[in-house]
Amino acid sequence: MKKKIIPGVFGGGNSGPLLLIFSPRERVRDILTVGLIQCNYQVIQANSSSQATIKASQMLPKLVIADLSCDNPKDILIAERLQKSQRTRHISTLLITTKVPNPLVQKVTAEMLDQIRDADHGKLSTMGYPFAFSEFLAKIESLVLKTEPASDKNPPNDQNRIIAEHLFDPSIPVDRKMQNIGKSLHKNWGFPFTVVKAMDIIESDVGCTLELSKCISTDPAVSSTILKIANTVQYARRHGRITDIKEAVVRLGFRETRSIMACMSLIDLSPEVYRNRGFGRREFWLHSLTVGLIAEKICIDCYMQRPELAFIAGLLHDFGKIPLDNDFDSVFPRLLDRTMGDVCAFYEAEDVLMGFTHADLGYYLTSNWNFPPSVTMAIMNHHDPERILKITSANDKIIQEAVYVGNLLAKALGLGHSCDEILEEIPAEMLKDLQMGSGPDDKLFSHIIKQLRILCSYLNLQLRELKNEEQKPDGNESDVVVVYNDRAIYHPMIVALRNNGFNVVVTNQIPGDTPGHKRVVISIPEPGAPLDINIYGDEREVNRGETLKIFLVNMEHYRELRHGITDANLILMDRRTFDVRLLLHTLDIFFERITLPTNAIQ
């Protein structure tokens, strides 16, 4: 039998757990990989600390093997960041150090060992370099189980295998590719009738509680859940138990009932068993729910007549990813491998490799299922702010802007996870349209977290503990200063940084120095404008090394300048492929510590 080949995974046909090997030395990576493959492990490689950060966060290996025996002691902070992140804290770590470890490595390792308090934390072990492979193998076996649980996922049929191969064939028209996907889905599963009917009721001017209750009654699973929720303590109170669907809809409310019904039906279409490695369904739906809730709240604040359409559009904005993962086994790993390797947005990898994106596929499928145009267009455009800003219909424009903003804020908040963590700035015109002034406020985030807790409890979606503290007010003693250009913009990295515990000041001017205080200045110049790098030239020698300067630019305009920079504390990052994981990793290395919010769960 031919062994399964998974792009980016060595030994993809093996049954052992997935391991990540990080080493700056190619020879070390390759020798260890060959040995581990022969021992039935699956292996992914990273040649830099930044690449290791992205691959560990996305692929969630059982074990990270970090080679710190080169002149790279600060890379120990990768392991500490993984341990302290909610998403990756369960990953075990094996540190390969020199026989006499660097003081920083010793200090951080001791702190990490002290933090391992329960079964939720991965194990931690160290070993000195050089070592015998048998010793190395014994260490790994003490940290992870040798075999992975067997998957219940059915192997793809021959027809789907052919369709998957054709998706990467540039000679086949995009329309035919999506038609083939649609035909395959029609044979395997159909979109839930209850959701489609609910859309008709919501869209109709005469939609009412009676019609919605009749729609729910046609689906036994949805009916029983709606009744169960209506009789919970939160809703029942002194009104007694009810058994009638119409009464349940009245008690819950039209909008709440619709949300629960749609979420139930959609999540049942894509159980965790279908997922490919690196694409967990629980976190995917948490992300989608968060986008839907943010989009709906924004539309409510803009006094939209039907904010529930924004909720459905947000919930479905990434739906095109589901069939690519459910039915075509080889497609998703290849797309993820390209996304991680190029550090680009997932939709860009799709467009390069297949000629279309999950947004295009989501639009195609929901249009065929007769969803309202305002929903289908929001799905299609949720990565295209320029197209959104050209829309002439005020209502459609608000819905699409709300979904676009919701997607970015959900990523910045770290609520759920999808296929990348690329953050783009929000155009000033959108902020004005959505009545958001200079950006979202704490009231929006408080509302979203509250609603997310409620929905997740109904849907049996496990949600990590969320504590919503107000953001620290801007002050002088900041960790990070974000300098906007003269055009009014908003970048969601502000939310991401504050959500990760950094004290952030936002300004339009380069601030003065604070002697003895390490800080990072992130400047976002206008596109195409010359970089005023010399503005830092007057820094006193005593302060050199205390300020890290990061410029967010369109990299194609500054490639030559980038190669000419010799200052280690001056970095150019591409604003088009700005990955928040790389930013956090850069700050960890500069501060030589992991910054966490005060409410972080240890």
Side-chain angles (χ1 to χ4, degrees), residues 144-435:
V144 295
L145 294 174
K146 186 65 184 292
T147 57
E148 291 272 66
S151 173
D152 295 327
K153 184 175 179 179
N154 294 323
N157 58 47
D158 290 339
Q159 184 62 38
N160 281 3
R161 192 176 293 110
I162 293 172
I163 293 174
E165 292 173 358
H166 287 175
L167 292 181
F168 299 107
D169 186 343
S171 67
I172 298 177
V174 168
D175 288 348
R176 192 192 306 172
K177 292 179 182 180
M178 289 198 282
Q179 287 170 6
N180 289 338
I181 293 173
K183 290 176 183 177
S184 172
L185 298 188
H186 182 71
K187 294 178 182 178
N188 295 318
W189 48 276
F191 203 82
F193 167 79
T194 48
V195 177
V196 178
K197 182 62 178 175
M199 289 297 96
D200 291 338
I201 294 170
I202 292 169
E203 186 74 357
S204 171
D205 291 330
V206 295
C208 65
T209 299
L210 178 61
E211 289 184 65
L212 187 58
S213 61
K214 287 180 179 178
C215 173
I216 293 171
S217 298
T218 63
D219 190 318
V222 175
S223 298
S224 62
T225 300
I226 293 295
L227 286 171
K228 179 180 177 181
I229 294 170
N231 284 298
T232 58
V233 174
Q234 180 177 352
Y235 288 101
R237 296 179 183 172
R238 297 190 302 270
H239 301 296
R241 183 172 182 80
I242 59 175
T243 57
D244 181 73
I245 290 294
K246 183 180 177 182
E247 290 182 33
V249 173
V250 171
R251 178 175 287 184
L252 293 175
F254 193 89
R255 182 179 299 145
E256 192 85 350
T257 303
R258 175 268 309 150
S259 299
I260 296 166
M261 181 177 63
C263 293
M264 274 192 62
S265 302
L266 292 170
I267 291 173
D268 283 346
L269 278 179
S270 56
E272 193 72 17
V273 68
Y274 280 112
R275 73 174 179 87
N276 269 299
R277 196 185 300 277
F279 185 55
R281 293 306 168 80
R282 182 186 70 84
E283 291 193 317
F284 170 80
W285 285 117
L286 282 178
H287 169 74
S288 299
L289 277 174
T290 305
V291 176
L293 289 170
I294 294 174
E296 181 179 51
K297 175 59 175 170
I298 290 173
C299 287
I300 290 172
D301 291 344
C302 291
Y303 303 103
M304 289 280 294
Q305 287 186 342
R306 288 175 177 158
E308 57 269 19
L309 292 176
F311 174 84
I312 295 296
L315 183 67
L316 288 171
H317 77 287
D318 275 345
F319 188 74
K321 295 175 181 177
I322 295 297
L324 294 176
D325 184 47
N326 271 18
D327 297 279
F328 310 106
D329 201 43
S330 63
V331 171
F332 227 82
R334 185 169 174 182
L335 295 172
L336 279 178
D337 186 55
R338 182 64 173 259
T339 302
M340 293 184 294
D342 289 358
V343 191
C344 66
F346 185 75
Y347 73 87
E348 291 184 335
E350 291 174 312
D351 195 38
V352 169
L353 294 177
M354 300 190 302
F356 66 93
T357 72
H358 64 276
D360 300 320
L361 181 58
Y363 168 78
Y364 173 81
L365 294 174
T366 52
S367 295
N368 286 346
W369 288 325
N370 295 320
F371 270 62
S374 53
V375 171
T376 61
M377 292 301 295
I379 293 171
M380 183 173 73
N381 292 335
H382 75 270
H383 288 301
D384 196 339
E386 292 183 3
R387 186 186 293 177
I388 292 173
L389 291 173
K390 294 177 182 177
I391 294 171
T392 55
S393 167
N395 282 351
D396 288 349
K397 187 179 182 185
I398 293 295
I399 290 175
Q400 294 185 40
E401 288 177 333
V403 173
Y404 175 80
V405 171
N407 184 41
L408 293 175
L409 293 181
K411 286 185 181 183
L413 287 167
L415 295 174
H417 186 79
S418 189
C419 298
D420 64 57
E421 293 188 26
I422 303 293
L423 293 180
E424 303 171 21
E425 59 202 54
I426 300 173
E429 185 179 336
M430 274 195 191
L431 295 176
K432 183 178 179 181
D433 290 343
L434 300 177
Q435 303 176 25

Side-chain angles (χ1 to χ4, degrees), residues 55-84:
K55 289 193 173 185
S57 173
Q58 186 66 50
M59 301 298 286
L60 299 180
K62 295 296 183 182
L63 174 69
V64 171
I65 302 165
D67 178 10
L68 307 178
S69 61
C70 307
D71 187 22
N72 60 332
K74 288 186 179 181
D75 286 339
I76 181 65
L77 296 168
I78 302 172
E80 188 178 10
R81 169 65 69 179
L82 292 176
Q83 185 196 59
K84 292 184 176 180

